[in-house]
């Protein structure tokens, strides 16, 4: 069973950057697909980015392509989300999630979730 602990959220001005980290416990991390989702106030949770267990495959939501980069370090059991050129529309709680299987953009496929640090982008 995986447990996920996120860090790196906070307040940033539009155009700035943040990097989120998600540290996983449990020996199965290296075989899990890892993803980031986000939920803005009053909106449904949406997919942001996903990376396969070996890091060879990634996928991004259209709204973040070219600005966000997902990566992982299996030796550290950690997945990252580098967010550049942030806009106020990126303001949300960001959730790390783990899926013991294939790359998926569907949140219901993910069994393990982090606590969702808040990212606030001011204009």
């Amino acid at each position: 069973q995986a447990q996920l602990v996120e860090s790196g959220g906070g307040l940033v001005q539009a155009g700035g950057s943040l990097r989120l980290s998600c540290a996983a416990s449990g020996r199965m991390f290296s075989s899990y697909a890892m993803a980031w989702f986000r939920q803005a106030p009053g909106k449904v949770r949406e997919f942001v980015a996903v990376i396969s267990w070996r890091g060879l495959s990634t996928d991004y939501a259209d709204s973040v392509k070219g600005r966000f980069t997902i990566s992982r370090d299996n030796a550290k059991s950690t997945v990252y989300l580098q967010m550049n050129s942030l806009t106020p529309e990126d303001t949300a709680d960001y959730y790390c999630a783990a899926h013991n299987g294939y790359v998926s953009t569907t949140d219901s496929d993910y069994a393990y979730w982090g606590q969702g640090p808040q990212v606030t982008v001011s204009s």
Side-chain angles (χ1 to χ4, degrees), residues 43-98:
K43 295 187 177 181
V44 299
R45 186 164 58 192
E46 64 175 359
F47 164 75
V48 176
V50 61
I51 188 166
S52 62
W53 68 277
R54 285 196 293 180
L56 299 180
S57 177
T58 59
D59 195 10
Y60 296 90
D62 288 342
S63 59
V64 307
K65 279 182 182 176
R67 300 188 298 123
F68 290 13
T69 302
I70 189 171
S71 61
R72 66 190 296 161
D73 184 340
N74 285 348
K76 296 182 178 180
S77 297
T78 301
V79 63
Y80 305 96
L81 184 68
Q82 177 66 44
M83 304 184 292
N84 299 327
S85 302
L86 286 161
T87 74
E89 288 69 38
D90 295 314
T91 294
D93 293 330
Y94 281 73
Y95 297 88
C96 172

